[in-house]
């Protein structure tokens, strides 16, 4: 009788372990541009999402702490359809917002992991978006909006070109910044240059991009401003190849 009970207990233990592992492996499907709300806890330090991506897409993953969240040192990670790491921000030192970017080398279902930095033990709610960055080519002129609902906007820049990027705030009481970002080997986007907006005044910057790097133009607001300011600003970007 005791042997039978031990066997049953062992089977229950295996089933419980398998159930926990299955729950941890479950992933929520998301789409481009969708704002996802999640929460990291002491029992769930990584949350997985899946998204279908086409070859050649320039993808930006933005993870930021939710309003009044105690979560810090956020870290976004991305895995290819066959499980290879594409981007990993766990060693980055950013506390409020984690942004990674990459060019998809194949079509398929990618896994986006919402996590935290290697040395963080904080928990709390977060916001996550997977964005297909719009390409700015020679002669491009686009208008966009950032707000408390839409958050930062991202655009990809051409490689191996001398370019002039012009930026103007069209309206709104809040003046967003234009940031030029580049992706390191881990896919983490870092600030290369920034410029503030002056309403109805065009700001221009000329520079050359390398042929083997990913460059992103981002119209942004400070993370704390999204929590405490009323943000609703329209902008215009124009790109010219020199």
């Amino acid at each position: 009788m005791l042997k039978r009970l031990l066997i049953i207990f062992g089977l229950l233990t295996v089933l419980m372990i398998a159930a926990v592992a299955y729950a941890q492996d479950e992933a929520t499907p998301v789409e481009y541009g969708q704002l996802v709300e999640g929460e990291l806890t002491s029992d769930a330090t990584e949350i997985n999402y899946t998204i279908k991506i086409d070859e050649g897409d320039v993808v930006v993953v933005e993870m930021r702490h939710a309003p009044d969240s105690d979560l810090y040192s956020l870290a976004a990670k991305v895995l290819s359809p066959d499980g290879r790491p594409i981007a990993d921000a766990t060693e980055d030192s950013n506390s409020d917002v984690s942004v990674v970017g990459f060019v998809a080398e194949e079509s398929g279902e990618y896994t986006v992991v919402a996590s935290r930095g290697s040395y963080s033990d904080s928990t709390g709610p977060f916001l996550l978006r997977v964005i297909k960055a719009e390409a700015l080519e020679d002669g491009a002129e686009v208008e966009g909006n950032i707000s408390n609902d839409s958050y930062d906007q991202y655009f990809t820049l051409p490689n191996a070109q001398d370019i002039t990027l012009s930026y103007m705030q069209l309206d709104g009481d809040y003046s967003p910044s234009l940031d030029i970002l580049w992706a390191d080997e881990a896919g983490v986007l870092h600030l290369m240059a920034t410029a503030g907006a002056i309403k109805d005044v065009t700001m221009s910057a000329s520079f050359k991009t390398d042929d083997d790097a990913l460059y992103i133009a981002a119209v942004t607001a400070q993370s704390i401003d999204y929590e405490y300011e009323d943000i609703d600003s329209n902008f215009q970007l124009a790109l010219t190849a020199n």
Side-chain angles (χ1 to χ4, degrees), residues 71-100:
L71 182 63
Y72 65 89
S73 189
L74 297 82
K77 299 190 290 186
V78 181
L79 305 177
S80 69
D82 60 1
R84 291 180 295 106
I86 300 296
D88 188 345
T90 52
E91 298 301 321
D92 188 42
S93 60
N94 201 316
S95 59
D96 294 333
V97 185
S98 177
V99 188
V100 298

Coordinates of all heavy atoms in Angstrom, one line a residue, residues 71-100:
L71 N 8.6 48.4 -11.0 CA 9.5 47.6 -11.8 C 10.6 48.5 -12.4 O 10.3 49.6 -12.9 CB 8.7 47.0 -13.0 CG 9.5 46.1 -13.9 CD1 10.1 44.9 -13.2 CD2 8.6 45.6 -15.1
Y72 N 11.8 48.1 -12.3 CA 12.9 48.9 -12.9 C 13.9 47.9 -13.6 O 13.8 46.7 -13.4 CB 13.7 49.7 -11.9 CG 14.4 49.0 -10.8 CD1 15.7 48.6 -11.0 CD2 13.8 48.6 -9.6 CE1 16.4 47.8 -10.0 CE2 14.4 47.8 -8.7 CZ 15.7 47.5 -8.9 OH 16.4 46.7 -7.9
S73 N 14.8 48.5 -14.4 CA 15.8 47.7 -15.1 C 15.1 46.7 -16.0 O 15.3 45.5 -15.9 CB 16.8 47.0 -14.2 OG 17.8 46.4 -14.9
L74 N 14.2 47.2 -16.8 CA 13.4 46.3 -17.7 C 14.3 45.7 -18.8 O 15.3 46.4 -19.2 CB 12.2 47.1 -18.4 CG 11.2 47.6 -17.4 CD1 11.6 48.9 -16.8 CD2 9.9 47.8 -18.2
A75 N 13.9 44.6 -19.4 CA 14.8 44.0 -20.4 C 13.9 43.2 -21.4 O 13.2 42.3 -21.0 CB 15.8 43.1 -19.8
A76 N 13.9 43.7 -22.7 CA 13.2 43.0 -23.7 C 14.1 42.0 -24.4 O 15.3 42.4 -24.6 CB 12.6 44.0 -24.7
K77 N 13.6 40.9 -24.8 CA 14.4 39.9 -25.5 C 13.6 39.4 -26.7 O 12.4 39.3 -26.6 CB 14.8 38.7 -24.6 CG 15.7 39.1 -23.4 CD 16.2 37.9 -22.7 CE 15.2 37.1 -21.9 NZ 15.8 36.0 -21.1
V78 N 14.3 38.9 -27.7 CA 13.6 38.4 -28.9 C 14.3 37.1 -29.3 O 15.5 37.0 -29.4 CB 13.6 39.4 -30.1 CG1 12.8 38.8 -31.3 CG2 13.0 40.7 -29.7
L79 N 13.5 36.1 -29.7 CA 14.0 34.8 -30.2 C 13.5 34.6 -31.6 O 12.3 34.9 -31.9 CB 13.6 33.6 -29.3 CG 14.0 33.7 -27.8 CD1 13.4 32.5 -27.0 CD2 15.5 33.8 -27.6
S80 N 14.3 34.0 -32.5 CA 13.9 33.7 -33.8 C 12.9 32.5 -33.8 O 12.7 31.9 -32.8 CB 15.1 33.3 -34.7 OG 15.7 32.1 -34.2
P81 N 12.3 32.2 -35.0 CA 11.4 31.1 -35.1 C 12.0 29.8 -34.6 O 11.2 28.9 -34.1 CB 11.0 31.1 -36.5 CG 11.1 32.5 -37.0 CD 12.3 33.0 -36.3
D82 N 13.3 29.6 -34.7 CA 13.9 28.3 -34.3 C 14.5 28.5 -32.9 O 15.3 27.6 -32.5 CB 14.9 27.8 -35.3 CG 16.0 28.8 -35.6 OD1 16.0 29.9 -35.0 OD2 16.9 28.5 -36.4
G83 N 14.2 29.6 -32.2 CA 14.7 29.7 -30.8 C 16.0 30.4 -30.6 O 16.5 30.5 -29.5
R84 N 16.7 30.9 -31.7 CA 17.9 31.6 -31.6 C 17.7 33.0 -31.0 O 16.8 33.7 -31.4 CB 18.6 31.7 -32.9 CG 19.1 30.4 -33.5 CD 19.8 30.6 -34.8 NE 18.9 31.0 -35.8 CZ 18.8 32.2 -36.3 NH1 19.7 33.2 -35.9 NH2 17.9 32.6 -37.3
P85 N 18.6 33.5 -30.1 CA 18.5 34.8 -29.6 C 18.8 35.9 -30.7 O 19.8 35.8 -31.3 CB 19.5 34.9 -28.5 CG 20.5 33.8 -28.8 CD 19.7 32.7 -29.5
I86 N 17.9 36.8 -30.9 CA 18.0 37.9 -31.9 C 18.4 39.2 -31.2 O 19.3 39.9 -31.7 CB 16.7 38.1 -32.7 CG1 16.4 36.8 -33.4 CG2 16.9 39.2 -33.7 CD1 17.4 36.3 -34.5
A87 N 17.8 39.4 -30.1 CA 18.1 40.7 -29.3 C 17.9 40.3 -27.9 O 17.1 39.5 -27.5 CB 17.2 41.8 -29.7
D88 N 18.8 41.0 -27.0 CA 18.7 40.7 -25.6 C 19.2 41.9 -24.8 O 20.4 42.3 -24.9 CB 19.6 39.5 -25.3 CG 19.5 39.0 -23.9 OD1 18.9 39.8 -23.0 OD2 19.8 37.9 -23.6
A89 N 18.4 42.5 -24.0 CA 18.7 43.7 -23.3 C 18.9 43.5 -21.8 O 19.0 44.4 -21.0 CB 17.6 44.8 -23.5
T90 N 19.1 42.2 -21.4 CA 19.3 41.9 -20.0 C 20.5 42.5 -19.4 O 20.6 42.7 -18.2 CB 19.2 40.4 -19.7 OG1 20.2 39.7 -20.6 CG2 17.9 39.8 -20.0
E91 N 21.5 42.8 -20.2 CA 22.8 43.4 -19.7 C 22.8 44.9 -19.8 O 23.8 45.6 -19.5 CB 24.0 42.8 -20.4 CG 24.2 41.3 -20.2 CD 24.3 40.9 -18.7 OE1 24.9 41.7 -18.0 OE2 23.7 39.9 -18.3
D92 N 21.7 45.5 -20.4 CA 21.6 46.9 -20.5 C 21.3 47.6 -19.2 O 20.7 47.0 -18.3 CB 20.6 47.3 -21.6 CG 20.6 48.8 -21.9 OD1 21.7 49.3 -22.1 OD2 19.5 49.3 -22.1
S93 N 21.7 48.8 -19.0 CA 21.5 49.5 -17.7 C 20.3 50.4 -17.7 O 20.0 51.1 -16.7 CB 22.7 50.3 -17.4 OG 23.0 51.3 -18.4
N94 N 19.5 50.5 -18.8 CA 18.3 51.4 -18.8 C 17.3 50.9 -17.8 O 17.1 49.7 -17.6 CB 17.7 51.4 -20.2 CG 16.8 52.6 -20.4 OD1 16.1 53.0 -19.6 ND2 17.0 53.2 -21.6
S95 N 16.7 51.9 -17.1 CA 15.8 51.5 -16.0 C 14.3 51.6 -16.3 O 13.6 50.7 -15.9 CB 16.1 52.3 -14.7 OG 15.9 53.7 -15.0
D96 N 13.9 52.6 -17.0 CA 12.5 52.8 -17.3 C 12.0 52.3 -18.6 O 10.8 51.9 -18.7 CB 12.2 54.4 -17.2 CG 12.4 54.9 -15.9 OD1 12.3 54.2 -14.9 OD2 12.7 56.1 -15.8
V97 N 12.8 52.3 -19.6 CA 12.4 51.8 -20.9 C 13.5 50.9 -21.5 O 14.7 51.3 -21.5 CB 12.1 53.0 -21.9 CG1 11.6 52.5 -23.2 CG2 11.2 54.0 -21.3
S98 N 13.1 49.8 -22.1 CA 14.0 48.9 -22.8 C 13.6 48.8 -24.2 O 12.5 48.5 -24.5 CB 14.0 47.5 -22.2 OG 14.9 46.6 -22.9
V99 N 14.5 49.2 -25.2 CA 14.2 49.2 -26.6 C 15.2 48.4 -27.4 O 16.4 48.7 -27.3 CB 14.1 50.6 -27.2 CG1 13.6 50.6 -28.6 CG2 13.2 51.5 -26.3
V100 N 14.8 47.4 -28.1 CA 15.7 46.6 -29.0 C 15.2 46.7 -30.4 O 14.0 46.9 -30.6 CB 15.8 45.2 -28.5 CG1 16.4 45.1 -27.1 CG2 14.5 44.4 -28.5

